[in-house]
Amino acid sequence: MVSIYPEDITNILKEQITNYKESLEKKDYGTVISCGDCIANVYGLSQAMQQELVQFDDPENTMGMVLNLENDFVGIVLFGQGINIKYGSKVYATGKIASVPTGNALIGRVIDPLGNPLDGRGNIQSDNLRPIEQKACGIIERKSVNEPLQTGILSIDSMIPIGRGQRELIIGDRQTGKTAIAIDTILNQKNQKDRPICIYVAIGQRQASVNQVYKLLEEQGAMDYTIIVFASSTDAPALQYIAPFSGVSIAEDFMYKGKDVLIIYDDLSKHAVAYRSMSLLLRRPPGREAYPGDVFYLHSRLLERAVKLSDELGGGSITALPIVETQAGDVSAYIPTNIISITDGQIFLDSDLFFSGMRPAINVGISVSRVGGAAQTKAIKQVAGILRLSLAQYNELKKFAQFAGDLDKSTQKQLLRGKIINHLLIQKENSPIELALQVSILFAGLEGMLDMFEETKDTEKFKTLWSNQAKNIIPELYEKLNQGQAITDEEKEILKSALQKTISTL
C-alpha cells in the first residue's frame, strides 16, 4: 500500500501553481475575434494593462493600444488602418505603456504622437521616454501664477493677460483667427529674455495647414524653440486621441527641469470627436449629445497638467492654450462649456467683429482672464487699467447714438476716443508688438493725444511711424518699458513729449 504524506501533496500543489504562473507569463498573445473601423476586440492577453502597446501579426506590423479591459476580451484601438487584420490574427503584448520620447532632441522637429519624425530629417536620438498619461501635480506642488506670458497681441496683453502656468481657452467659430492668435504668441517668444519652449499640437488638421504653420515658424526663426506634434485628419482616431497627451508629456519633461513651456492644442473639438468615435465603437455608453460620460474627465485630466511648479520643484511651468471651435457662436454647447469650466478664462472671437474688420476679433465683453493683473507687468497695468471700462462705455454709447439726435460735445468726444482706441487695437497677423510699444501706443490713445484723428489710416500711420522711431527717440525709457517696469510721472512727461513730436509730423 502506497502512503501519501501531507508534505507531498503540498509540494505537488506548489509545483502546479508555479507551472500555472509560468504558463500565464508566457501567454503574452491574444487572438482577434473582431476588427473594423480602427478597433479590434481580442481574446486572450490576460496580462494586458490599460494603455499598453500591442503589436498585430499583419504585413504592416500595426501597433495598437489597450483601452477597454472586459471580462472575456480586451478592446484595442489601432494606430493604423489595420486592413489586413482578420479574425484569428495574433496580437502580441509588448509589456510597454504608451510613451513618447522627450528632451532637447525634439526641438525644431515635427513628430507624430508616438514620437516618429514627420519632417524627413532622420531619426530622433532620444533615450528618454515618458508615459503619455501622468497624474497632474497636487496643490502642494503648485505655486500661484505670477509671471506674465507676453503674446505680443495688444488687446490680449492689456485686457486679458495670460500668466505662465495658466490655462486660457481660445474659442470661436471657424475661420475667425483662433490659430493666428496661438501662432502669434509663439512668434512673440523669439525675443523674450526668458522665452519658453513652445509645443504646437495639431489634432485632426489638414496636412497643408500644418505645412503652412511649419513654414511660417521656420521663416521667422521660431522653430529654434518649437516642437510640432501632428496627428492629421486622415490618421486613425487613436493617434488623434493621444496627440495632446503626448504633447503635454514632452512639456512636463522640460518643466521638471525648471523650464517654462507653452503648449497649444489645436483643437480640442476634433479631439473630442476622435474620442467619441473610438468610444462608441468600443461600446462605451453615450451620454449628452452622444459623447461618452467621461469626455469631461478626458479634457480635465489633460488640462490639469498645466501648472506653475513651486520653487522647491524648480519653478518650471506649462501654459496651456486650448482651442475650441463653436458652431454659430454657441458657447453653451457641450464641449465648449466643459472646457470653459476647466480653464482659467477664455478669449472669445466674434464672427461679426471679424467680418467688420476688427482683427483680432476679440469680444472683450465675454473674454476674461481669471488670473488677471497677477499676470501683468507693472508698466502695462499702469497704463491699461481703464482700457476695458473705456471700451465698454464706448460700445454702450455707440448703441445709444444710433437712436439719438444731437449729441453733446462730451459724448461726441467719448465716441471719437473709443473709435480711436478700437483702431489702435487692430493688429496685423504675424506681427506681434513689443511690450514697450504696447504701453506707449495705449498711453497715447487713452491720454487723448490721438483725438484729432478721424480715419483708421491716420491711426495706422502713427503706429507704423512710432514703431520705427520709438527705440531711437527714447532708448533708455524704451528698454525700461520692455522690462515691464512702472514709470514715474517725470518719465510719463518724457514719453508724452516724444509722442507729441511724432504725432506732429503726420
Side-chain angles (χ1 to χ4, degrees):
M1 187 174 178
V2 178
S3 299
I4 300 174
Y5 297 100
E7 55 264 33
D8 292 336
I9 296 172
T10 305
N11 290 335
I12 290 166
L13 289 171
K14 281 182 179 177
E15 188 178 347
Q16 285 180 342
I17 290 168
T18 304
N19 291 338
Y20 179 70
K21 283 182 176 177
E22 287 176 359
S23 68
L24 282 178
E25 287 168 3
K26 289 176 183 175
K27 193 177 180 182
D28 58 351
Y29 69 90
T31 307
V32 175
I33 54 177
S34 67
C35 184
D37 297 316
C38 299
I39 300 291
N41 290 319
V42 175
Y43 178 79
L45 290 175
S46 58
Q47 302 299 303
M49 299 176 285
Q50 178 81 354
Q51 296 196 339
E52 181 179 351
L53 292 176
V54 295
Q55 189 167 30
F56 289 81
D57 188 15
D58 68 324
E60 291 83 25
N61 290 322
T62 305
M63 296 295 292
M65 183 175 73
V66 176
L67 216 58
N68 270 22
L69 298 172
E70 307 289 349
N71 288 332
D72 303 319
F73 63 91
V74 294
I76 295 170
V77 291
L78 308 182
F79 291 139
Q81 298 304 316
I83 53 176
N84 291 313
I85 298 173
K86 298 179 175 63
Y87 174 83
S89 295
K90 290 285 185 287
V91 188
Y92 296 97
T94 63
K96 299 174 182 175
I97 298 295
S99 302
V100 66
T102 60
N104 291 329
L106 274 67
I107 296 175
R109 303 299 300 271
V110 183
I111 61 170
D112 72 6
L114 293 170
N116 302 311
L118 298 175
D119 50 12
R121 290 167 50 194
N123 293 328
I124 294 168
Q125 303 299 323
S126 175
D127 297 327
N128 299 326
L129 283 174
R130 188 174 180 86
I132 61 168
E133 285 270 19
Q134 293 280 332
K135 187 179 176 183
C137 292
I139 294 172
I140 303 301
E141 298 164 299
R142 295 173 183 252
K143 182 183 176 182
S144 60
V145 175
N146 57 6
E147 291 179 64
L149 183 123
Q150 300 294 336
T151 65
I153 300 167
L154 183 57
S155 50
I156 293 177
D157 289 340
S158 58
M159 291 183 287
I160 318 151
I162 299 171
R164 299 190 181 213
Q166 189 176 344
R167 301 154 299 179
E168 184 77 9
L169 172 63
I170 302 172
I171 186 169
D173 284 4
R174 187 171 176 271
Q175 296 292 321
T176 50
K178 300 184 298 297
T179 301
I181 285 178
I183 298 304
D184 282 359
T185 304
I186 293 176
L187 293 176
N188 191 57
Q189 307 313 309
K190 183 179 178 182
N191 297 317
Q192 298 295 318
K193 190 177 179 181
D194 48 351
R195 74 181 177 203
I197 290 158
C198 301
I199 301 173
Y200 177 72
V201 183
I203 310 160
Q205 304 290 327
R206 292 183 301 113
Q207 179 84 47
S209 302
V210 178
N211 284 346
Q212 282 182 333
V213 170
Y214 175 73
K215 188 178 178 184
L216 173 65
L217 294 176
E218 186 75 38
E219 287 172 354
Q220 300 274 0
M223 282 306 294
D224 294 344
Y225 53 88
T226 303
I227 301 164
I228 296 177
V229 181
F230 177 41
S232 78
S233 54
T234 57
D235 283 338
L239 282 174
Q240 297 180 43
Y241 159 66
I242 69 167
F245 292 100
S246 297
V248 76
S249 287
I250 295 167
E252 281 177 336
D253 184 69
F254 289 113
M255 178 185 71
Y256 282 113
K257 292 173 182 173
K259 297 180 181 177
D260 293 320
V261 186
L262 167 66
I263 186 164
I264 291 148
Y265 305 114
D266 191 8
D267 66 70
L268 291 188
S269 305
K270 293 184 177 68
H271 183 238
V273 168
Y275 183 69
R276 173 171 63 177
S277 63
M278 277 189 340
S279 297
L280 297 182
L281 289 165
L282 284 166
R283 304 288 182 182
R284 290 186 174 182
R288 178 180 164 189
E289 296 183 32
Y291 279 98
D294 61 342
V295 75
F296 178 89
Y297 175 56
L298 169 79
H299 286 144
S300 65
R301 74 175 189 263
L302 170 70
L303 293 168
E304 282 295 332
R305 291 166 73 178
V307 58
K308 172 70 175 171
L309 283 181
S310 64
D311 294 335
E312 290 78 13
L313 292 174
S317 69
I318 296 175
T319 307
L321 296 183
I323 294 173
V324 166
E325 186 178 302
T326 54
Q327 304 293 326
D330 183 15
V331 293
S332 64
Y334 185 41
I335 298 302
T337 51
N338 274 355
I339 300 174
I340 285 171
S341 65
I342 296 164
T343 50
D344 306 313
Q346 67 275 345
I347 296 166
F348 180 71
L349 300 178
D350 193 307
S351 299
D352 293 336
L353 287 174
F354 184 85
F355 294 121
S356 70
M358 186 70 189
R359 312 280 174 87
I362 296 170
N363 185 322
V364 179
I366 299 176
S367 302
V368 65
S369 170
R370 296 189 184 99
V371 172
Q376 265 184 322
T377 60
K378 291 178 181 177
I380 204 155
K381 196 189 294 186
Q382 192 178 16
V383 173
I386 60 167
L387 179 58
R388 187 186 279 267
L389 179 62
S390 298
L391 284 175
Q393 288 175 340
Y394 164 68
N395 289 328
E396 287 300 314
L397 278 175
K398 192 178 175 184
K399 290 175 189 175
F400 171 74
Q402 290 176 337
F403 305 102
D406 295 331
L407 297 171
D408 59 84
K409 286 186 178 180
S410 64
T411 305
Q412 290 176 0
K413 186 179 178 182
Q414 200 168 352
L415 282 169
L416 178 61
R417 186 170 297 180
K419 183 181 176 184
I420 288 163
I421 291 169
N422 259 339
H423 288 166
L424 288 176
L425 295 176
I426 294 173
Q427 193 170 330
K428 291 178 183 175
E429 201 175 313
N430 306 327
S431 304
I433 302 173
E434 282 189 293
L435 182 59
L437 291 175
Q438 290 186 23
V439 174
S440 52
I441 287 168
L442 281 176
F443 180 80
L446 293 168
E447 287 289 318
M449 298 174 71
L450 308 177
D451 285 1
M452 74 288 295
F453 295 155
E454 294 184 5
E455 296 184 25
T456 311
K457 62 181 182 181
D458 294 326
T459 314
E460 277 301 311
K461 279 181 187 177
F462 160 72
K463 283 168 69 177
T464 305
L465 187 61
W466 177 249
S467 299
N468 293 334
Q469 294 180 352
K471 203 167 188 176
N472 297 324
I473 297 173
I474 46 167
E476 291 179 8
L477 184 55
Y478 190 92
E479 185 60 33
K480 185 176 180 179
L481 289 172
N482 251 351
Q483 292 171 4
Q485 298 176 30
I487 54 175
T488 62
D489 291 339
E490 188 181 335
E491 287 169 330
K492 280 183 183 177
E493 291 302 319
I494 294 169
L495 179 59
K496 190 179 281 189
S497 176
L499 285 165
Q500 282 171 341
K501 283 179 184 176
T502 303
I503 293 165
S504 65
T505 59
L506 294 172

